[in-house]
mmCIF file with all atom_site columns, all heavy atoms in Angstrom:
data_model
loop_
_atom_site.group_PDB
_atom_site.id
_atom_site.type_symbol
_atom_site.label_atom_id
_atom_site.label_alt_id
_atom_site.label_comp_id
_atom_site.label_asym_id
_atom_site.label_entity_id
_atom_site.label_seq_id
_atom_site.pdbx_PDB_ins_code
_atom_site.Cartn_x
_atom_site.Cartn_y
_atom_site.Cartn_z
_atom_site.occupancy
_atom_site.B_iso_or_equiv
_atom_site.pdbx_formal_charge
_atom_site.auth_seq_id
_atom_site.auth_comp_id
_atom_site.auth_asym_id
_atom_site.auth_atom_id
_atom_site.pdbx_PDB_model_num
ATOM 1   N N   . ILE A 1 82  ? 11.508 -4.468  -1.940  1.00 0.00 ? 82  ILE A N   1
ATOM 2   C CA  . ILE A 1 82  ? 11.494 -5.723  -2.646  1.00 0.00 ? 82  ILE A CA  1
ATOM 3   C C   . ILE A 1 82  ? 11.298 -5.563  -4.158  1.00 0.00 ? 82  ILE A C   1
ATOM 4   O O   . ILE A 1 82  ? 11.808 -6.389  -4.937  1.00 0.00 ? 82  ILE A O   1
ATOM 5   C CB  . ILE A 1 82  ? 10.482 -6.726  -2.006  1.00 0.00 ? 82  ILE A CB  1
ATOM 6   C CG1 . ILE A 1 82  ? 10.782 -8.143  -2.494  1.00 0.00 ? 82  ILE A CG1 1
ATOM 7   C CG2 . ILE A 1 82  ? 9.076  -6.271  -2.303  1.00 0.00 ? 82  ILE A CG2 1
ATOM 8   C CD1 . ILE A 1 82  ? 10.121 -9.189  -1.669  1.00 0.00 ? 82  ILE A CD1 1
ATOM 9   N N   . SER A 1 103 ? 6.162  -8.311  -6.456  1.00 0.00 ? 103 SER A N   1
ATOM 10  C CA  . SER A 1 103 ? 7.036  -9.405  -6.040  1.00 0.00 ? 103 SER A CA  1
ATOM 11  C C   . SER A 1 103 ? 6.985  -9.742  -4.585  1.00 0.00 ? 103 SER A C   1
ATOM 12  O O   . SER A 1 103 ? 7.787  -10.548 -4.119  1.00 0.00 ? 103 SER A O   1
ATOM 13  C CB  . SER A 1 103 ? 8.495  -9.077  -6.426  1.00 0.00 ? 103 SER A CB  1
ATOM 14  O OG  . SER A 1 103 ? 8.608  -8.846  -7.800  1.00 0.00 ? 103 SER A OG  1
ATOM 15  N N   . GLY A 1 104 ? 6.144  -9.081  -3.838  1.00 0.00 ? 104 GLY A N   1
ATOM 16  C CA  . GLY A 1 104 ? 6.103  -9.321  -2.402  1.00 0.00 ? 104 GLY A CA  1
ATOM 17  C C   . GLY A 1 104 ? 5.757  -8.045  -1.643  1.00 0.00 ? 104 GLY A C   1
ATOM 18  O O   . GLY A 1 104 ? 5.200  -7.091  -2.220  1.00 0.00 ? 104 GLY A O   1
ATOM 19  N N   . VAL A 1 105 ? 6.101  -8.036  -0.376  1.00 0.00 ? 105 VAL A N   1
ATOM 20  C CA  . VAL A 1 105 ? 5.741  -6.924  0.482   1.00 0.00 ? 105 VAL A CA  1
ATOM 21  C C   . VAL A 1 105 ? 7.002  -6.461  1.249   1.00 0.00 ? 105 VAL A C   1
ATOM 22  O O   . VAL A 1 105 ? 7.843  -7.258  1.649   1.00 0.00 ? 105 VAL A O   1
ATOM 23  C CB  . VAL A 1 105 ? 4.576  -7.284  1.427   1.00 0.00 ? 105 VAL A CB  1
ATOM 24  C CG1 . VAL A 1 105 ? 4.965  -8.353  2.365   1.00 0.00 ? 105 VAL A CG1 1
ATOM 25  C CG2 . VAL A 1 105 ? 4.076  -6.082  2.178   1.00 0.00 ? 105 VAL A CG2 1
ATOM 26  N N   . PHE A 1 116 ? 9.637  -9.236  2.312   1.00 0.00 ? 116 PHE A N   1
ATOM 27  C CA  . PHE A 1 116 ? 9.152  -10.592 2.367   1.00 0.00 ? 116 PHE A CA  1
ATOM 28  C C   . PHE A 1 116 ? 8.624  -11.006 0.991   1.00 0.00 ? 116 PHE A C   1
ATOM 29  O O   . PHE A 1 116 ? 7.844  -10.324 0.400   1.00 0.00 ? 116 PHE A O   1
ATOM 30  C CB  . PHE A 1 116 ? 7.993  -10.722 3.406   1.00 0.00 ? 116 PHE A CB  1
ATOM 31  C CG  . PHE A 1 116 ? 8.319  -10.155 4.736   1.00 0.00 ? 116 PHE A CG  1
ATOM 32  C CD1 . PHE A 1 116 ? 7.963  -8.838  5.062   1.00 0.00 ? 116 PHE A CD1 1
ATOM 33  C CD2 . PHE A 1 116 ? 8.996  -10.888 5.677   1.00 0.00 ? 116 PHE A CD2 1
ATOM 34  C CE1 . PHE A 1 116 ? 8.259  -8.301  6.287   1.00 0.00 ? 116 PHE A CE1 1
ATOM 35  C CE2 . PHE A 1 116 ? 9.290  -10.369 6.923   1.00 0.00 ? 116 PHE A CE2 1
ATOM 36  C CZ  . PHE A 1 116 ? 8.941  -9.066  7.226   1.00 0.00 ? 116 PHE A CZ  1
ATOM 37  N N   . GLY A 1 117 ? 9.063  -12.190 0.573   1.00 0.00 ? 117 GLY A N   1
ATOM 38  C CA  . GLY A 1 117 ? 8.597  -12.781 -0.696  1.00 0.00 ? 117 GLY A CA  1
ATOM 39  C C   . GLY A 1 117 ? 8.129  -14.188 -0.429  1.00 0.00 ? 117 GLY A C   1
ATOM 40  O O   . GLY A 1 117 ? 8.004  -14.644 0.708   1.00 0.00 ? 117 GLY A O   1
ATOM 41  N N   . THR A 1 118 ? 7.874  -14.918 -1.492  1.00 0.00 ? 118 THR A N   1
ATOM 42  C CA  . THR A 1 118 ? 7.409  -16.280 -1.343  1.00 0.00 ? 118 THR A CA  1
ATOM 43  C C   . THR A 1 118 ? 8.407  -17.158 -0.655  1.00 0.00 ? 118 THR A C   1
ATOM 44  O O   . THR A 1 118 ? 8.039  -18.078 0.062   1.00 0.00 ? 118 THR A O   1
ATOM 45  C CB  . THR A 1 118 ? 7.023  -16.900 -2.707  1.00 0.00 ? 118 THR A CB  1
ATOM 46  O OG1 . THR A 1 118 ? 8.134  -16.763 -3.627  1.00 0.00 ? 118 THR A OG1 1
ATOM 47  C CG2 . THR A 1 118 ? 5.806  -16.146 -3.329  1.00 0.00 ? 118 THR A CG2 1
ATOM 48  N N   . SER A 1 119 ? 9.696  -16.899 -0.833  1.00 0.00 ? 119 SER A N   1
ATOM 49  C CA  . SER A 1 119 ? 10.701 -17.710 -0.113  1.00 0.00 ? 119 SER A CA  1
ATOM 50  C C   . SER A 1 119 ? 10.688 -17.497 1.384   1.00 0.00 ? 119 SER A C   1
ATOM 51  O O   . SER A 1 119 ? 11.241 -18.317 2.156   1.00 0.00 ? 119 SER A O   1
ATOM 52  C CB  . SER A 1 119 ? 12.100 -17.397 -0.677  1.00 0.00 ? 119 SER A CB  1
ATOM 53  O OG  . SER A 1 119 ? 12.463 -16.033 -0.395  1.00 0.00 ? 119 SER A OG  1
ATOM 54  N N   . ASP A 1 120 ? 10.014 -16.425 1.869   1.00 0.00 ? 120 ASP A N   1
ATOM 55  C CA  . ASP A 1 120 ? 9.857  -16.166 3.300   1.00 0.00 ? 120 ASP A CA  1
ATOM 56  C C   . ASP A 1 120 ? 8.559  -16.702 3.866   1.00 0.00 ? 120 ASP A C   1
ATOM 57  O O   . ASP A 1 120 ? 8.303  -16.544 5.058   1.00 0.00 ? 120 ASP A O   1
ATOM 58  C CB  . ASP A 1 120 ? 9.939  -14.660 3.548   1.00 0.00 ? 120 ASP A CB  1
ATOM 59  C CG  . ASP A 1 120 ? 11.233 -14.046 3.055   1.00 0.00 ? 120 ASP A CG  1
ATOM 60  O OD1 . ASP A 1 120 ? 12.293 -14.472 3.554   1.00 0.00 ? 120 ASP A OD1 1
ATOM 61  O OD2 . ASP A 1 120 ? 11.173 -13.171 2.205   1.00 0.00 ? 120 ASP A OD2 1
ATOM 62  N N   . GLY A 1 121 ? 7.723  -17.291 3.014   1.00 0.00 ? 121 GLY A N   1
ATOM 63  C CA  . GLY A 1 121 ? 6.456  -17.849 3.448   1.00 0.00 ? 121 GLY A CA  1
ATOM 64  C C   . GLY A 1 121 ? 5.234  -17.086 2.949   1.00 0.00 ? 121 GLY A C   1
ATOM 65  O O   . GLY A 1 121 ? 4.082  -17.497 3.223   1.00 0.00 ? 121 GLY A O   1
ATOM 66  N N   . LEU A 1 122 ? 5.425  -15.989 2.235   1.00 0.00 ? 122 LEU A N   1
ATOM 67  C CA  . LEU A 1 122 ? 4.312  -15.255 1.672   1.00 0.00 ? 122 LEU A CA  1
ATOM 68  C C   . LEU A 1 122 ? 3.633  -16.152 0.624   1.00 0.00 ? 122 LEU A C   1
ATOM 69  O O   . LEU A 1 122 ? 4.307  -16.739 -0.203  1.00 0.00 ? 122 LEU A O   1
ATOM 70  C CB  . LEU A 1 122 ? 4.825  -13.955 1.036   1.00 0.00 ? 122 LEU A CB  1
ATOM 71  C CG  . LEU A 1 122 ? 3.828  -12.989 0.452   1.00 0.00 ? 122 LEU A CG  1
ATOM 72  C CD1 . LEU A 1 122 ? 2.831  -12.482 1.502   1.00 0.00 ? 122 LEU A CD1 1
ATOM 73  C CD2 . LEU A 1 122 ? 4.541  -11.823 -0.217  1.00 0.00 ? 122 LEU A CD2 1
ATOM 74  N N   . ALA A 1 123 ? 2.310  -16.182 0.641   1.00 0.00 ? 123 ALA A N   1
ATOM 75  C CA  . ALA A 1 123 ? 1.533  -17.126 -0.202  1.00 0.00 ? 123 ALA A CA  1
ATOM 76  C C   . ALA A 1 123 ? 1.729  -16.844 -1.664  1.00 0.00 ? 123 ALA A C   1
ATOM 77  O O   . ALA A 1 123 ? 1.662  -17.784 -2.485  1.00 0.00 ? 123 ALA A O   1
ATOM 78  C CB  . ALA A 1 123 ? 0.072  -17.070 0.180   1.00 0.00 ? 123 ALA A CB  1
ATOM 79  N N   . HIS A 1 124 ? 1.885  -15.616 -2.094  1.00 0.00 ? 124 HIS A N   1
ATOM 80  C CA  . HIS A 1 124 ? 2.006  -15.240 -3.494  1.00 0.00 ? 124 HIS A CA  1
ATOM 81  C C   . HIS A 1 124 ? 2.646  -13.879 -3.536  1.00 0.00 ? 124 HIS A C   1
ATOM 82  O O   . HIS A 1 124 ? 2.464  -13.043 -2.626  1.00 0.00 ? 124 HIS A O   1
ATOM 83  C CB  . HIS A 1 124 ? 0.600  -15.203 -4.131  1.00 0.00 ? 124 HIS A CB  1
ATOM 84  C CG  . HIS A 1 124 ? 0.626  -15.117 -5.637  1.00 0.00 ? 124 HIS A CG  1
ATOM 85  N ND1 . HIS A 1 124 ? 0.740  -13.914 -6.301  1.00 0.00 ? 124 HIS A ND1 1
ATOM 86  C CD2 . HIS A 1 124 ? 0.505  -16.059 -6.566  1.00 0.00 ? 124 HIS A CD2 1
ATOM 87  C CE1 . HIS A 1 124 ? 0.708  -14.169 -7.598  1.00 0.00 ? 124 HIS A CE1 1
ATOM 88  N NE2 . HIS A 1 124 ? 0.558  -15.479 -7.780  1.00 0.00 ? 124 HIS A NE2 1
ATOM 89  N N   . GLY A 1 125 ? 3.398  -13.589 -4.593  1.00 0.00 ? 125 GLY A N   1
ATOM 90  C CA  . GLY A 1 125 ? 4.151  -12.355 -4.662  1.00 0.00 ? 125 GLY A CA  1
ATOM 91  C C   . GLY A 1 125 ? 3.353  -11.115 -5.037  1.00 0.00 ? 125 GLY A C   1
ATOM 92  O O   . GLY A 1 125 ? 3.681  -10.030 -4.575  1.00 0.00 ? 125 GLY A O   1
ATOM 93  N N   . ARG A 1 126 ? 2.343  -11.255 -5.859  1.00 0.00 ? 126 ARG A N   1
ATOM 94  C CA  . ARG A 1 126 ? 1.612  -10.048 -6.301  1.00 0.00 ? 126 ARG A CA  1
ATOM 95  C C   . ARG A 1 126 ? 0.613  -9.630  -5.256  1.00 0.00 ? 126 ARG A C   1
ATOM 96  O O   . ARG A 1 126 ? -0.356 -10.359 -4.961  1.00 0.00 ? 126 ARG A O   1
ATOM 97  C CB  . ARG A 1 126 ? 0.923  -10.342 -7.641  1.00 0.00 ? 126 ARG A CB  1
ATOM 98  C CG  . ARG A 1 126 ? 0.335  -9.105  -8.254  1.00 0.00 ? 126 ARG A CG  1
ATOM 99  C CD  . ARG A 1 126 ? -0.280 -9.383  -9.581  1.00 0.00 ? 126 ARG A CD  1
ATOM 100 N NE  . ARG A 1 126 ? -1.028 -8.213  -10.002 1.00 0.00 ? 126 ARG A NE  1
ATOM 101 C CZ  . ARG A 1 126 ? -0.793 -7.566  -11.130 1.00 0.00 ? 126 ARG A CZ  1
ATOM 102 N NH1 . ARG A 1 126 ? 0.117  -7.993  -11.924 1.00 0.00 ? 126 ARG A NH1 1
ATOM 103 N NH2 . ARG A 1 126 ? -1.527 -6.494  -11.416 1.00 0.00 ? 126 ARG A NH2 1
ATOM 104 N N   . TRP A 1 155 ? 4.245  -16.405 8.769   1.00 0.00 ? 155 TRP A N   1
ATOM 105 C CA  . TRP A 1 155 ? 3.241  -16.247 7.725   1.00 0.00 ? 155 TRP A CA  1
ATOM 106 C C   . TRP A 1 155 ? 2.280  -17.454 7.745   1.00 0.00 ? 155 TRP A C   1
ATOM 107 O O   . TRP A 1 155 ? 2.700  -18.568 8.001   1.00 0.00 ? 155 TRP A O   1
ATOM 108 C CB  . TRP A 1 155 ? 3.925  -16.194 6.372   1.00 0.00 ? 155 TRP A CB  1
ATOM 109 C CG  . TRP A 1 155 ? 4.656  -14.933 6.134   1.00 0.00 ? 155 TRP A CG  1
ATOM 110 C CD1 . TRP A 1 155 ? 5.988  -14.711 6.323   1.00 0.00 ? 155 TRP A CD1 1
ATOM 111 C CD2 . TRP A 1 155 ? 4.140  -13.709 5.666   1.00 0.00 ? 155 TRP A CD2 1
ATOM 112 N NE1 . TRP A 1 155 ? 6.333  -13.447 6.018   1.00 0.00 ? 155 TRP A NE1 1
ATOM 113 C CE2 . TRP A 1 155 ? 5.214  -12.796 5.605   1.00 0.00 ? 155 TRP A CE2 1
ATOM 114 C CE3 . TRP A 1 155 ? 2.877  -13.277 5.291   1.00 0.00 ? 155 TRP A CE3 1
ATOM 115 C CZ2 . TRP A 1 155 ? 5.064  -11.471 5.187   1.00 0.00 ? 155 TRP A CZ2 1
ATOM 116 C CZ3 . TRP A 1 155 ? 2.688  -11.990 4.846   1.00 0.00 ? 155 TRP A CZ3 1
ATOM 117 C CH2 . TRP A 1 155 ? 3.763  -11.086 4.795   1.00 0.00 ? 155 TRP A CH2 1
#
Side-chain angles (χ1 to χ4, degrees):
I82 197 164
S103 303
V105 64
F116 309 95
T118 54
S119 64
D120 301 300
L122 184 61
H124 192 276
R126 188 177 171 123
W155 290 95

